Amino acid sequence: MNHLARLGDERYLLPNHAHIIVYDGNDRELLTVYDCGAAQKPPSAQFLGTLGRISCQHRLDHTQTGYVVKLDEQAVLEQQKPDDYRIISHQG
C-alpha cells in the first residue's frame, strides 16, 4: 500500500500537515504515513526500516510505542539505503 506521489526512485512527496507514526521495533521500525493528522482517513503508505534525519519544519511527540512526526511544511521522504529513510524539506 503506497499512495504517495513519487518524485523519482525511492523519493515520495509528503504533504503539509502529514503525520508519520513511527512504531519502535527491535531492529526495524514501522513508518505509517497519514496525509493529514486531522482527517479520518486510512494511511497513505507504510514502510519498514528506520527513520534517521528529519530536516524540515516539524514537531515530534513521543508515545509509549515510538513517536509521531507532525510536518509543518511539504517534505520528501527519501530512502537512503535499504531500510533507512530520512525526511527533508521539499524545495519546489
Side-chain angles (χ1 to χ4, degrees):
M1 151 196 36
N2 185 349
H3 304 290
L4 294 173
R6 289 188 84 110
L7 297 174
D9 290 340
E10 304 306 326
R11 296 184 62 190
Y12 305 94
L13 183 63
L14 298 173
N16 188 14
H17 302 297
H19 285 192
I20 299 89
I21 299 178
V22 181
Y23 295 102
D24 239 341
N26 291 335
D27 55 347
R28 288 196 301 182
E29 300 170 332
L30 173 63
L31 287 64
T32 304
V33 180
Y34 292 89
D35 285 343
C36 179
Q40 297 287 323
K41 294 173 39 177
S44 301
Q46 287 187 318
F47 301 92
L48 282 174
T50 57
L51 181 59
R53 187 173 57 150
I54 304 169
S55 57
C56 66
Q57 295 281 333
H58 71 283
R59 291 167 281 135
L60 201 60
D61 292 336
H62 292 277
T63 67
Q64 290 181 343
T65 58
Y67 56 96
V68 180
V69 180
K70 299 177 181 181
L71 299 184
D72 293 326
E73 67 173 314
Q74 197 173 47
V76 174
L77 177 68
E78 183 175 73
Q79 186 174 8
Q80 295 291 271
K81 53 187 172 185
D83 297 338
D84 187 23
Y85 296 88
R86 71 177 180 168
I87 299 174
I88 58 174
S89 187
H90 179 60
Q91 315 300 337

